[in-house]
Amino acid sequence: MKKPISKKPLKTTPRVEEAAGLRSIQSVAYHIWEETYIGRGVKTLFKLNQTKGFDCPSCAWPDPGPDEVSVVAEYCENGAKAVAWETTKYRVDAAFFDAHSVESLLDQTDHWLEKQGRLTEPFILKPGSSHYQPVSWDEAFAEIGRQLHQLDSPDEAMFYTSGRTSNEAAFLYQLFARRFGTNNLPDCSNMCHEASGKALNETLGIGKASVVLEDIRETEVLMIFGQNPGTNAPRMLAELQKLKHNGGKIIAVNPLPEAGFMQFRHPQKPWEWVGKPTQLQDLYLPIKINGDMALLKAIQKILWEAEKERPGEVFDLDFIREHTSGFEEVINDLDRVQLDVLVAATGLSLAEIRQAAEMLLTKKRIIIAWAMGITQQRNAESTIREIVNLLLLKGAIGKKGAGTLPVRGHSNVQGDRTMGVWEKMPEAFMKRLGEVFSFSPPKAEGIGTIGAIQKMLEGTGKVFFGMGGNFALAAPDTKVVFDALRNCSLTVHVSTKLNRSHLVHGKTALILPCLGRTEADLVENRHQFVTTEDTAGRIRMSQGDLDPASASLKSEVAIVCGMAKAVFGEDDAIPWEQFSSDYDLIRDKIEAVIPGFESYNKRIRQAGGFFLPNGSRERRFTTRTGKALLTVNSLNPNQLPTGRFVLMTVRSHDQFNTTVYGYDDRYRGIRNARKVLMIHKADMAAFGLSQGDPIKITSFFQGEERVLEGFSAVAYDIPPGCVAVYFPEGNVLVAVDNHSPESHCPASKYIEVVVEKINA
Ligand SMILES: Nc1nc2c(c(=O)[nH]1)N[C@H]1C(S)=C(S)[C@@H](COP(=O)(O)OP(=O)(O)OC[C@H]3O[C@@H](n4cnc5c(=O)[nH]c(N)nc54)[C@H](O)[C@@H]3O)O[C@H]1N2
Ligand SMILES: Nc1nc2c(c(=O)[nH]1)N[C@H]1C(S)=C(S)[C@@H](COP(=O)(O)OP(=O)(O)OC[C@H]3O[C@@H](n4cnc5c(=O)[nH]c(N)nc54)[C@H](O)[C@@H]3O)O[C@H]1N2
Ligand SMILES: [Mo]
């Protein structure tokens, strides 16, 4: 985090580059060349997202069905980068840790840490020592067992999950935690789509997307709120292109004009690399940060006025009557709210909003997609309920070409939740888990990410176990999280690569290196495969076939089972040993516990896998009223003292969450730098800032201040009053208590800040 990696000066180009195309192929080639042996890298890419291959470790965008799998690999630039990063030729071994103390590693950048390569064997940092040293797997598991048994209560342990973990490993992991006696299962979803799960469950009875890939091609209008698919779900662009070819329209709502929406060339269709790219967006609405709820309400109000004039032509009254509750209340609210108040809260003009409403007016097949721009907000849940309102008023759910599309992030984050990685799983799941494994799961609700940080700070959270991820940098309030982790008696991380969470550690620390997605998982000479769930709820198998980065790696499944044997003894009633030698046995148990997995082992072996049941796709709304809920959400516009900005933290094109591949944000024209603040040129002028000026950013939350220095100002096409920095650097500014009201999703896109020029 400290040393700048690049000696090259910051460069910006005003032009927003086109997305994908030849440039992305060049970038893929570069990353494969840099990181891996060319044969290994190319072989791997051809196995990506194929029926008999592995699931891309990058995003959770759905793969095409079995009939559509092309002969060419289904990959994108950033998926390829993720693969190159995992299949690297570099290694972090015992000699590496001999040469580098933890203290010296703390001075290195996050890019440098991961760039050192794959971890080769388990390592331990003993109390008071300066260097990690090798430790046997048995000794590592025994240490975990000793420390867990020393706790006064199982609730002093926390078991975090990042969303790359397979269904099989996640199921055993949550079983392990609950068998140990705690529901403390924080996960990356707590910081990601938690608000979507909350608001969708409440209003529609299911917290997942209601659409499948085919729906996108058939929609008349797709609205995309707060998502940058060109970088974070690049394969989505190819679907948007199909939608356009079918005559569909796209409305992009985003404070930034993201390249992916403007000009797209299919990276796997060379004939598109020259000539005119596809302009994906038909209407771009440069919304003020957190202005989305007001926009959604304004659109509904305009549609309602039109509906009153032409009854039945705008709203789907039959659907509303048959399938929803709350209509009267919602239209009364729409009558009450004033359009000019709503418009003012968006930062858009009335004409722009009318244009959006006009595009929706008579349309019946509408999809609304969203991601972190909506969920990491102080109004997240209300905004998502307004998305649902708009779809319900149009009857645009549970039919072809229509519905909700919360685009998931990590490749198996959705599957991990389905498997029970959640601090508050519903009672039916807990009951069934107890029946199938003959034990009493803990009753008390566990803690999520925010709760975990608080617990560690208070000293009642003593053992932090991370199944993947990089909690130290991903969680909000970096300095506070560092203090929290350092307060633990034991921190354990199951990882593929070295990261900051290994260096910001408890009294004792363990690094347990695991196989990646691309690698063969051989148990007693038999290949095991795992399964994952994508954004559209499709379950598929994933099987790597590369030789593992080191012979001492274990699969995540084997790690959970090894730890379980050390903690519960060899004679535990749960057959951990058998589970780790045959993953079919785990799937049989998943089938026994979780609805929708009937004939799991059989159906997963069919090409393309299978879809989980989805009530909202079939207009079965399992809510408290038995109908889809139209809700009234009161407006909560931004109110900032003069001189303050709202800051959002976003991903660059060269990263996967806390993994920094490089220092260029190609699509945004920013090069050789990550410590930049994007700010409107009028705001720059008003605050006396020039391009590249060194600045200090101070954030304010409930009377507290947090400071970030060493940044430069960059003029950018962003609404006045809004500014942006990159995640994870910006996490220093996110107060741990600054989160959405209902699901406690960190508001990492809503941070009040002041920007000041400093003398270099
Ligand atoms: N290559 C790559 N792929 C990834 C990831 C990665 O880091 N790299 N991360 C994965 C994960 S875990 C996730 S969750 C997803 C994240 O995917 P995204 O949600 O696309 O990620 P962010 O960069 O956080 O982008 C949020 C977008 O929201 C916009 N935004 C911010 N505030 C607001 C607002 O108030 N209103 C609106 N309408 N828009 C707003 C920003 O300008 C930005 O375009 O991607 C996944 N895929
Ligand atoms: N300010 C701010 N904070 C954010 C966000 C934001 O937009 N702004 N986004 C949030 C979101 S959406 C998310 S999802 C979280 C992400 O939070 P995390 O999931 O905790 O973080 P990652 O950066 O994805 O984790 C990277 C590490 O995972 C390990 N790893 C990689 N592959 C594997 C594997 O196959 N198995 C195992 N066991 N380990 C592996 C590597 O060691 C790597 O260093 O961050 C959140 N934090
Ligand atoms: Mo995420």
Side-chain angles (χ1 to χ4, degrees):
M1 246 172 27
K2 291 184 187 154
K3 287 185 189 163
I5 180 81
S6 170
K7 300 270 180 297
K8 293 181 251 171
L10 154 71
K11 255 175 59 187
T12 59
T13 44
R15 191 171 68 91
V16 178
E17 295 212 17
E18 64 195 35
L22 182 60
R23 295 297 299 275
S24 79
I25 298 282
Q26 286 168 341
S27 170
V28 168
Y30 170 76
H31 280 272
I32 291 175
W33 179 251
E34 258 279 297
E35 282 300 319
T36 186
Y37 306 104
I38 206 88
R40 190 171 155 101
V42 171
K43 174 182 169 196
T44 319
L45 287 184
F46 279 87
K47 295 272 178 163
L48 237 174
N49 295 333
Q50 300 297 295
T51 310
K52 278 214 160 28
F54 62 92
D55 185 45
C56 180
S58 199
C59 74
W61 185 251
D63 308 326
D67 314 334
E68 294 177 79
V69 175
S70 56
V71 279
V72 190
E74 170 73 16
Y75 66 83
C76 68
E77 176 187 352
N78 279 346
K81 279 189 211 163
V83 167
W85 203 244
E86 181 173 299
T87 56
T88 175
K89 57 192 170 203
Y90 306 111
R91 297 289 177 269
V92 167
D93 53 13
F96 173 90
F97 282 118
D98 248 1
H100 300 279
S101 67
V102 171
E103 209 183 320
S104 70
L105 290 171
L106 273 170
D107 280 342
Q108 298 292 350
T109 63
D110 298 298
H111 171 76
W112 187 92
L113 291 176
E114 284 215 21
K115 181 88 184 163
Q116 301 315 300
R118 290 286 299 277
L119 294 152
T120 55
E121 60 183 308
F123 295 100
I124 187 165
L125 184 70
K126 293 189 175 160
S129 50
S130 54
H131 290 65
Y132 271 98
Q133 61 191 78
V135 62
S136 71
W137 279 104
D138 283 348
E139 187 41 42
F141 292 145
E143 177 65 24
I144 295 170
R146 270 195 298 277
Q147 296 251 10
L148 286 178
H149 285 307
Q150 270 171 21
L151 298 177
D152 292 331
S153 143
D155 286 332
E156 290 182 346
M158 290 144 296
F159 298 95
Y160 173 73
T161 315
S162 163
R164 223 170 242 182
T165 296
S166 66
N167 287 346
E168 289 73 6
F171 181 76
L172 291 186
Y173 184 57
Q174 62 82 32
L175 175 63
F176 170 87
R178 295 190 161 115
R179 167 80 178 75
F180 178 64
T182 183
N183 281 315
N184 286 348
L185 285 153
D187 68 347
C188 72
S189 214
N190 296 145
M191 304 179 256
C192 185
H193 265 294
E194 196 66 70
S196 306
K198 174 82 175 63
L200 291 177
N201 253 314
E202 177 190 347
T203 53
L204 300 174
I206 181 165
K208 303 178 181 181
S210 76
V211 302
V212 294
L213 270 191
E214 291 69 30
D215 289 312
I216 297 174
R217 299 162 208 172
E218 298 190 27
T219 193
E220 291 169 298
V221 185
L222 179 84
M223 297 186 82
I224 304 187
F225 284 82
Q227 191 206 355
N228 179 19
T231 287
N232 297 316
R235 287 182 298 127
M236 182 173 177
L237 298 189
E239 295 306 316
L240 299 186
Q241 197 186 31
K242 288 179 202 158
L243 171 166
K244 295 286 299 194
H245 288 164
N246 291 345
K249 301 272 186 239
I250 294 173
I251 304 176
V253 185
N254 200 310
L256 302 179
E258 302 287 26
F261 296 124
M262 301 211 247
Q263 305 189 333
F264 173 66
R265 296 175 200 270
H266 201 303
Q268 283 150 277
K269 292 183 182 165
W271 58 92
E272 290 187 5
W273 296 351
V274 287
K276 220 169 157 262
T278 312
Q279 151 107 27
L280 292 177
Q281 69 197 13
D282 297 276
L283 177 64
Y284 167 55
L285 300 177
I287 192 91
K288 249 186 359 203
I289 293 174
N290 196 37
D292 306 82
M293 185 185 163
L295 169 65
L296 284 152
K297 273 176 112 75
I299 292 175
Q300 289 172 65
K301 187 171 170 77
I302 295 167
L303 294 180
W304 171 227
E305 298 300 333
E307 168 69 23
K308 282 194 272 190
E309 278 170 28
R310 297 145 64 182
E313 284 184 36
V314 180
F315 288 176
D316 183 340
L317 297 175
D318 290 340
F319 173 85
I320 292 171
R321 209 172 301 120
E322 201 182 329
H323 292 290
T324 70
S325 59
F327 180 61
E328 287 299 317
E329 290 85 342
V330 163
I331 54 170
N332 287 340
D333 179 58
L334 292 177
D335 279 332
R336 229 178 2 246
V337 286
Q338 288 172 335
L339 196 54
D340 53 346
V341 175
L342 296 174
V343 173
T346 62
L348 304 167
S349 68
L350 178 58
E352 286 171 309
I353 300 175
R354 281 202 186 282
Q355 210 183 334
E358 189 62 37
M359 285 169 72
L360 297 168
L361 197 66
T362 56
K363 298 295 185 291
K364 299 190 164 31
R365 296 196 309 276
I366 300 163
I367 291 177
I368 303 186
W370 70 94
M372 298 303 102
I374 295 299
T375 62
Q376 296 172 338
Q377 282 295 351
R378 69 187 182 99
N379 286 341
E381 296 86 4
S382 308
T383 305
I384 298 162
R385 282 192 292 263
E386 290 295 342
I387 289 176
V388 171
N389 278 354
L390 176 53
L391 290 172
L392 292 178
L393 292 174
K394 297 292 291 176
I397 192 155
K399 66 180 184 193
K400 267 194 179 165
T404 53
L405 181 52
V407 180
R408 298 282 157 178
H410 248 303
S411 56
N412 197 39
V413 64
Q414 187 159 310
D416 292 347
R417 269 297 162 91
T418 306
M419 291 299 116
V421 172
W422 195 21
E423 66 274 15
K424 41 187 173 200
M425 281 304 280
E427 216 173 299
F429 172 92
M430 300 296 276
K431 186 162 169 282
R432 197 67 200 128
L433 190 71
E435 284 164 4
V436 169
F437 292 101
S438 310
F439 78 114
S440 305
K443 296 258 181 304
E445 199 174 282
I447 43 88
T449 290
I450 303 294
I453 298 168
Q454 281 154 351
K455 241 175 126 53
M456 288 186 270
L457 282 177
E458 284 162 18
T460 54
K462 294 181 180 154
V463 174
F464 179 93
F465 190 105
M467 179 56 85
N470 186 3
F471 193 82
L473 285 191
D477 224 342
T478 310
K479 287 190 181 132
V480 172
V481 181
F482 281 17
D483 287 345
L485 288 167
R486 287 180 169 138
N487 217 13
C488 288
S489 48
L490 175 69
T491 46
V492 186
H493 286 93
V494 177
S495 312
T496 49
K497 292 220 169 168
L498 182 64
N499 67 39
R500 199 150 302 269
S501 298
H502 305 138
L503 309 176
V504 180
H505 55 82
K507 208 181 257 171
T508 304
L510 283 164
I511 303 175
L512 306 180
C514 67
L515 295 172
R517 281 270 172 86
T518 54
E519 291 165 329
D521 187 355
L522 271 171
V523 185
E524 289 152 20
N525 281 327
R526 279 185 311 128
H527 276 279
Q528 300 295 323
F529 67 86
V530 292
T531 61
T532 57
E533 176 181 342
D534 66 26
T535 286
R538 189 204 287 264
I539 311 288
R540 271 181 194 265
M541 67 160 69
S542 172
Q543 189 169 36
D545 71 348
L546 292 183
D547 288 339
S550 143
S552 310
L553 302 184
K554 281 190 188 293
S555 70
E556 291 181 343
V557 166
I559 292 173
V560 176
C561 294
M563 173 165 82
K565 281 191 286 173
V567 174
F568 307 128
E570 297 282 340
D571 303 327
D572 193 49
I574 298 175
W576 302 102
E577 179 73 40
Q578 289 174 28
F579 285 152
S580 65
S581 55
D582 183 356
Y583 298 1
D584 274 357
L585 301 177
I586 311 173
R587 284 184 284 271
D588 285 343
K589 294 296 180 194
I590 294 173
E591 176 178 337
V593 175
I594 307 170
F597 285 88
E598 294 73 24
S599 308
Y600 194 177
N601 275 308
K602 182 162 165 246
R603 285 195 294 159
I604 199 63
R605 287 175 162 85
Q606 292 160 0
F610 60 93
F611 283 99
L612 289 179
N614 185 312
S616 61
R617 194 174 293 159
E618 294 146 23
R619 298 193 164 179
R620 272 186 302 106
F621 301 109
T622 48
T623 63
R624 62 180 159 79
T625 63
K627 297 199 168 190
L629 261 52
L630 283 156
T631 54
V632 174
N633 305 285
S634 45
L635 191 67
N636 184 11
N638 303 349
Q639 281 167 333
L640 295 154
T642 5
R644 285 199 192 167
F645 292 88
V646 182
L647 175 137
M648 59 179 175
T649 56
V650 297
R651 290 157 170 79
S652 93
H653 194 61
D654 243 1
Q655 72 182 88
F656 189 90
N657 297 339
T658 67
T659 295
V660 176
Y661 301 127
Y663 286 74
D664 290 342
D665 195 358
R666 199 174 85 234
Y667 288 175
R668 297 201 183 105
I670 294 173
R671 288 170 194 273
N672 305 329
R674 287 183 55 86
K675 293 188 172 184
V676 290
L677 175 95
M678 293 171 239
I679 177 168
H680 192 274
K681 61 176 187 308
D683 285 334
M684 273 182 107
F687 285 79
L689 296 172
S690 313
Q691 187 81 340
D693 269 356
I695 49 161
K696 171 174 140 186
I697 311 166
T698 309
S699 74
F700 300 87
F701 189 77
Q702 294 179 347
E704 290 174 4
E705 294 184 9
R706 288 165 175 76
V707 176
L708 193 55
E709 285 178 300
F711 274 59
S712 313
V714 166
Y716 202 83
D717 191 0
I718 184 171
C722 299
V723 290
V725 297
Y726 294 121
F727 148 60
E729 289 83 348
N731 257 336
V732 173
L733 297 171
V734 189
V736 69
D737 293 324
N738 179 15
H739 49 65
S740 71
E742 297 168 41
S743 62
H744 294 192
C745 199
S748 40
K749 307 272 192 275
Y750 192 94
I751 308 152
E752 280 191 36
V753 298
V754 158
V755 177
E756 293 158 275
K757 182 173 171 172
I758 49 170
N759 296 323

